[in-house]
Amino acid sequence: MTETHATITPGAPVFPPGRYGRRREPGRRRPALVALLATALVAALGLAAFSMYGKYGDPTYDAQVITYTDITDSQVVVDFRVTVPAGGSATCVLRARSHDGAEVAREEVTVAAPPGESQAAARHRLATTARPFIGEVVRCRPAD
């Protein structure tokens, strides 16, 4: 059965009285509260990002692998360069991985830049537990 337009007022649905409870009035919006909460959320996320960057993302200690050579069943020699503050030193984590991606060696190496220089070059032999496929610098941080 279809409804005719003569029995329904345009724009508003008609419900039987008492059948569905009373209709709520539209709630009052609080744009100031929403803006305040959004600002607090952005500030908290910014503070967390700044904290994490300071802890894990120091670009002052940037490492670059120059080459890895002398690959045998028990070693790989890694040549690398580290950017440090002038005359500073860094502790770098080196690792070697096998062809399937398994880590076969990991060592921490401390390198120091010559006085007045901002780059330290180093060569380190990693003793491995299996034949390595690649030698790499995982990260560098200020020396202890």
Side-chain angles (χ1 to χ4, degrees):
M1 173 178 258
T2 60
E3 297 180 0
T4 61
H5 292 289
T7 60
I8 299 176
T9 59
V14 176
F15 299 105
R19 182 152 189 192
Y20 300 107
R22 67 180 182 88
R23 290 184 61 88
R24 293 186 188 157
E25 294 298 320
R28 194 180 88 167
R29 299 209 173 186
R30 295 184 175 106
L33 180 61
V34 171
L36 181 66
L37 289 174
T39 303
L41 178 65
V42 167
L45 289 175
L47 184 63
F50 182 76
S51 172
M52 292 296 195
Y53 179 77
K55 196 175 210 180
Y56 300 110
D58 193 358
T60 311
Y61 298 90
D62 185 36
Q64 179 182 22
V65 174
I66 298 168
T67 185
Y68 49 93
T69 56
D70 298 333
I71 296 174
T72 66
D73 287 341
S74 61
Q75 76 169 17
V76 62
V77 176
V78 180
D79 292 310
F80 63 101
R81 181 180 12 213
V82 182
T83 303
V84 296
S89 60
T91 300
C92 298
V93 176
L94 304 178
R95 76 174 172 185
R97 291 189 297 159
S98 64
H99 193 64
D100 65 355
E103 187 175 284
V104 294
R106 177 180 284 256
E107 271 187 63
E108 282 194 358
V109 179
T110 301
V111 295
E117 297 286 322
S118 64
Q119 289 200 347
R123 169 177 271 200
H124 186 74
R125 179 188 161 276
L126 281 170
T128 61
T129 58
R131 185 170 186 87
F133 175 71
I134 189 171
E136 55 194 1
V137 179
V138 178
R139 70 178 174 276
C140 292
R141 59 179 164 73
D144 296 329

